[in-house]
Amino acid sequence: MSDSLMSTYARLPVSFEKGEGVYLFDSEGNKYLDALAGIAVCSLGHAHPRVADAIADQARTLIHTSNVYNIPHQTELGDKLCSLSGMSRVFFGNSGAEANEAAIKIARLFGKKQGIDRPKIIVASGSFHGRTLATLSATGSRKVQAGFSPLVEGFVRVEYNDIEAIQKIAENSSEVAAILVEPVQGEGGIIVPDEGYLSSIRKICDDNNWLMMLDEIQTGMGRTGKMFAFQHEGITPDVMTLAKALGNGVPIGACLAAGKAEEIFTPGTHGSTFGGNPLVTRTALEVISIMEEQDIPNKAAEMGSYMLSQFKQALADVDGVQDIRGHGMMLGIELNKDCGELVAKALEKKLLINVTAHKTIRLLPPLVITKDQADDVVSTLVPLIKEFL
């Protein structure tokens, strides 16, 4: 790594120069199967021809004007996202962290309007919401927070997937304005909550006049088998955040609001220089168009279920495999000890994976992965896991 770059990443010893579908090619021409998709970003694969054409055409036409003016592609994208989600309003930023910052600000303004002097937001242990000061304060990881105190106040933490803990706070606190959770915890280790978890939160929020806010940065845009993960339970949140796969690699974030949250922001309360510019919104529109035309969410559900069953079958009797879980194309294989070294071992086999929460192998393949490619992931990774254990 160059001495000019800050030491914020423990980079692997490889440089990629080209992508094609689910594959990446390094500077020496070696081919790698990408089972991480840039951490759930390139859901349509790398260098998708239609996405590339949209980017190039828009770059030759107009990249940036400023939100001082109307941006037609931004309006069209906002309308499309609201139509798909059942939400009513959208704010565009440049990342997931920015989208969550917007959600936190909406919650605080909402709380103030309810007469709460110091509004609080319920968040979950094991969560990950970003690395800005407010979003890392909301994040349920002491490792991420280490060294950055004093943190932003106003967050109340509960165990993930614990409805009783949320209900207890509702019964004993008058300062809560909102709850912010992930439908599936990605960085936390692909933690899938019990069925009914989100609908139970929805009811508690309705009963207590709280905002239900869902961080769908990783779960959104088809990854769990629906366009948005909350659609599995037939509910609608008050606030939802998106990023990652929305631009298939082009940086874009979105904070969507509905109902009592949709009119909280007014001119001057929030903004972004680059957010929702013509380039990124044109790209996102093309991404959505491809996802709809090719029924990508349904493919994610089918292939995710297939890969999960293949891993469960192949690792059923392997001592040291604690759990194999998933939701759509979010797969986690939890071992009984730290397994970070498997990332480098898989790289040697030309397979790109990730380990999160120390002990969980996280797989987030492009949603366009084929059955043969999925089989390649399984047949490469299973022997590595067995050898490691």
Side-chain angles (χ1 to χ4, degrees), residues 203-238:
K203 185 179 187 308
I204 292 173
C205 288
D206 290 341
D207 290 346
N208 293 276
N209 195 31
W210 297 348
L211 296 182
M212 179 184 185
M213 309 199 301
L214 295 181
D215 178 343
E216 292 234 24
I217 306 302
Q218 194 165 136
T219 58
M221 303 310 298
R223 175 106 349 224
T224 67
K226 298 282 189 182
M227 190 63 80
F228 311 107
F230 71 79
Q231 293 171 330
H232 289 283
E233 295 203 18
I235 54 99
T236 303
D238 300 300

Side-chain angles (χ1 to χ4, degrees), residues 64-362:
H64 178 79
T65 58
S66 165
N67 282 298
V68 171
Y69 314 105
N70 291 322
I71 301 173
H73 288 315
Q74 183 183 124
T75 300
E76 185 180 355
L77 179 60
D79 290 345
K80 186 64 178 177
L81 287 173
C82 287
S83 174
L84 288 170
S85 65
M87 308 295 278
S88 305
R89 297 284 188 273
V90 187
F91 172 83
F92 289 108
N94 309 288
S95 67
E98 286 185 43
N100 283 334
E101 284 274 350
I104 290 167
K105 290 177 71 174
I106 287 174
R108 288 199 171 186
L109 283 174
F110 175 77
K112 294 286 187 179
K113 288 178 181 292
Q114 308 311 307
I116 303 173
D117 185 47
R118 302 172 78 85
K120 290 182 169 55
I121 301 170
I122 297 175
V123 293
S125 298
S127 63
F128 184 86
H129 299 296
R131 292 184 182 274
T132 62
L133 201 53
T135 56
L136 74 82
S137 298
T139 290
S141 168
R142 293 194 179 277
K143 179 181 177 181
V144 172
Q145 296 171 342
F148 296 106
S149 60
L151 300 177
V152 175
E153 65 175 28
F155 297 102
V156 180
R157 205 166 307 283
V158 297
E159 289 299 314
Y160 188 66
N161 197 31
D162 188 342
I163 288 296
E164 289 186 6
I166 299 171
Q167 187 62 56
K168 188 172 182 179
I169 292 174
E171 294 168 357
N172 292 281
S173 175
S174 60
E175 295 184 305
V176 173
I179 179 167
L180 172 64
V181 296
E182 300 157 278
V184 176
Q185 288 191 336
E187 289 288 333
I190 311 297
I191 307 300
V192 183
D194 295 335
E195 185 176 350
Y197 178 63
L198 296 184
S199 55
S200 295
I201 291 176
R202 177 70 276 176
K203 185 179 187 308
I204 292 173
C205 288
D206 290 341
D207 290 346
N208 293 276
N209 195 31
W210 297 348
L211 296 182
M212 179 184 185
M213 309 199 301
L214 295 181
D215 178 343
E216 292 234 24
I217 306 302
Q218 194 165 136
T219 58
M221 303 310 298
R223 175 106 349 224
T224 67
K226 298 282 189 182
M227 190 63 80
F228 311 107
F230 71 79
Q231 293 171 330
H232 289 283
E233 295 203 18
I235 54 99
T236 303
D238 300 300
V239 178
M240 174 181 66
T241 55
L242 298 172
K244 289 191 179 289
L246 181 57
N248 207 62
V250 173
I252 181 172
C255 179
L256 288 78
K260 56 195 175 187
E262 67 184 58
E263 302 294 345
I264 296 296
F265 278 160
T266 56
T269 53
H270 199 48
S272 171
T273 296
F274 299 108
N277 67 58
L279 179 69
V280 299
T281 49
R282 165 79 183 277
T283 304
L285 282 165
E286 190 65 24
V287 168
I288 292 173
S289 178
I290 295 167
M291 286 190 167
E292 288 189 304
E293 290 173 19
Q294 299 181 9
D295 197 13
I296 294 298
N298 188 53
K299 289 182 178 179
E302 292 177 354
M303 290 306 302
S305 177
Y306 173 74
M307 291 184 71
L308 189 64
S309 67
Q310 293 300 104
F311 276 118
K312 285 185 174 181
Q313 181 178 335
L315 297 169
D317 300 319
V318 177
D319 188 36
V321 176
Q322 298 285 87
D323 193 19
I324 302 172
R325 52 185 177 263
H327 194 10
M329 201 62 80
M330 297 181 73
L331 305 172
I333 304 170
E334 183 179 349
L335 307 185
N336 64 354
K337 58 182 177 179
D338 289 3
C339 58
E341 66 186 72
L342 279 174
V343 175
K345 290 183 179 295
L347 184 69
E348 293 175 1
K349 299 294 184 180
K350 306 300 184 287
L351 175 66
L352 306 183
I353 65 169
N354 178 234
V355 167
T356 190
H358 304 294
K359 300 178 180 180
T360 301
I361 300 163
R362 176 171 56 167

Side-chain angles (χ1 to χ4, degrees), residues 32-46:
Y32 298 74
L33 203 166
D34 185 2
L36 193 58
I39 312 183
V41 170
C42 298
S43 289
L44 298 178
H46 300 284

